[in-house]
Amino acid sequence: MIRVLLVHDACLVRSVLAEWLRREPGLGVYDTPWRTAPGRVRTVRPDVCAVDLDCSDTYGLPPLGELCPRGPGAPPRLLVLATADRPGLLKRAIEAGALGYVDKASPPDRLVRGIRHVAAGERFVDDSLGFGFLKAAEMPLTRRELSVLSLAAEGASVAEIAGSLHLSHGTVRNYMAAITRKTGARNRIDAIRISQGEGWL
């Protein structure tokens, strides 16, 4: 039996998808929104976490690292539901060590195949995400810069960004200067506009 934890913030979508997966032989399926996912990982101890990369609780940045805790026992393997037009999220998934990448536009049986491959320790990537991976490889921003910019795009002040990411105010300003330089922007607002246009945010 493959224990699967489905993480998705949209309750209706999550419930329907979980119910559909429960009909598959050999899958034990649990579901949760992002805000309770780290706790559910500890209690369910899944073999695979199948997660939607669009996350509503953390300024659009999924806390992927919280799903693979260090400690006793093997952490769950990570499979992400993604789209090619959000290369910033694909890059975060790569950095988090995801083994599976399923396009949200794929038929449901692709998700089942992905879960089975990832549970066996095999990589699974939908071909339709190829362009997104190329864009992710070209993205000039680091993971931390992307976190700072995502918070700024939500309207957070330097002080709020610093508090949320446990940084000093000066460090946040330095990140914003680096972001502006790397994106070729004139200012913070222009950097946000460029990054959103490129699909990094």
Side-chain angles (χ1 to χ4, degrees):
M1 180 68 73
I2 300 170
R3 296 168 67 84
V4 179
L5 180 62
L6 177 65
V7 182
H8 201 298
D9 273 344
C11 182
L12 179 62
V13 173
R14 183 180 70 243
S15 299
V16 170
L17 194 52
E19 194 56 40
W20 188 83
L21 288 172
R22 286 183 184 111
R23 296 178 186 170
E24 286 294 315
L27 297 184
V29 181
Y30 306 84
D31 62 279
T32 186
W34 270 104
R35 73 182 183 294
T36 58
R40 292 285 283 167
V41 166
R42 288 188 295 275
T43 57
V44 171
R45 300 184 59 103
D47 301 302
V48 176
C49 280
V51 304
D52 176 32
L53 283 183
D54 289 318
C55 173
S56 64
D57 288 346
T58 55
Y59 300 96
L61 292 175
L64 295 172
E66 294 177 23
L67 298 182
C68 302
R70 291 184 173 90
R77 294 185 169 118
L78 191 59
L79 177 142
V80 298
L81 304 173
T83 59
D85 63 349
R86 300 287 305 273
L89 292 178
L90 283 173
K91 185 173 184 177
R92 291 183 71 86
I94 293 165
E95 291 169 348
L99 274 181
Y101 301 84
V102 175
D103 191 333
K104 288 185 185 185
S106 296
D109 65 310
R110 295 289 292 168
L111 176 57
V112 174
R113 286 185 59 206
I115 288 169
R116 294 190 190 287
H117 277 269
V118 169
E122 302 167 357
R123 186 165 299 281
F124 182 88
V125 181
D126 266 337
D127 294 339
S128 56
L129 295 176
F131 182 70
F133 281 107
L134 290 174
K135 296 273 290 180
E138 296 171 355
M139 190 173 70
L141 303 179
T142 66
R143 179 175 47 182
R144 181 58 91 180
E145 289 165 347
L146 187 60
S147 296
V148 168
L149 189 61
S150 295
L151 291 168
E154 293 291 325
S157 68
V158 168
E160 290 168 332
I161 295 169
S164 179
L165 299 177
H166 309 291
L167 301 171
S168 72
H169 293 199
T171 300
V172 171
R173 285 190 203 89
N174 289 342
Y175 277 126
M176 287 306 304
I179 291 164
T180 302
R181 185 183 73 254
K182 287 180 176 183
T183 58
R186 295 183 310 273
N187 54 40
R188 171 180 171 160
I189 302 301
D190 196 31
I192 292 167
R193 181 191 57 76
I194 290 168
S195 298
Q196 287 174 333
E198 291 291 332
W200 301 339
L201 294 178

